[in-house]
Amino acid sequence: MAVLGLLYLALGIAGFLTPETAAVGHETSRAVGIFSVTPLLNLVHTAVGVLGLLAATRRTGSIIYCWVLFVGFTGMTAYGILATAMVNPEDPINLNWADNWLHGLTAVAGLVLGIAGARAVNRSAARTR
């Protein structure tokens, strides 16, 4: 979780340092590398990063974080696919296909790590009985 948290924290902070961040609307030229930047998206990425670093300190927090990642980023991926397919000029989040892949892979990672973490907790609980 710490690695994922650091990745999102770095992406969020880099987005805030991009001069074009203050503009709103669908504009593919506003990006950090291949990922889009908007104030809302930078805030989400920064919050996900900070929460990931905090969740990495406890097993239960890490499992909850994984499930929140799965649900949240599945929704973000679905929204992003619709937003990029329709190219709505008033899209406040300004997602592109690289963002969709990042968010989709994050959702899958949250699911896999959440299941693995929950199984590890169940195994350790079974051993102590």
Side-chain angles (χ1 to χ4, degrees):
M1 288 300 91
V3 172
L4 199 56
L6 283 172
L7 170 78
Y8 272 100
L9 184 60
L11 185 59
I13 290 171
F16 280 121
L17 298 177
T18 303
E20 299 90 14
T21 298
V24 176
H26 190 78
E27 178 59 50
T28 56
S29 66
R30 292 190 313 259
V32 171
I34 59 173
F35 301 110
S36 297
V37 293
T38 62
L40 180 59
L41 193 57
N42 295 337
L43 185 63
V44 169
H45 286 167
T46 303
V48 166
V50 169
L51 291 174
L53 292 175
L54 292 173
T57 62
R58 299 194 186 237
R59 184 181 286 187
T60 306
S62 182
I63 293 170
I64 293 169
Y65 177 74
C66 287
W67 289 111
V68 170
L69 279 183
F70 171 64
V71 171
F73 279 102
T74 298
M76 284 285 292
T77 303
Y79 173 81
I81 289 170
L82 290 173
T84 53
M86 294 182 181
V87 187
N88 183 0
E90 298 166 7
D91 176 23
I93 303 177
N94 191 36
L95 295 173
N96 63 22
W97 286 106
D99 293 312
N100 293 340
W101 278 103
L102 175 68
H103 297 158
L105 291 173
T106 301
V108 170
L111 177 64
V112 169
L113 294 172
I115 290 171
R119 285 185 178 177
V121 167
N122 288 339
R123 270 187 249 123
S124 66
R127 286 183 204 151
T128 60
R129 290 182 198 177

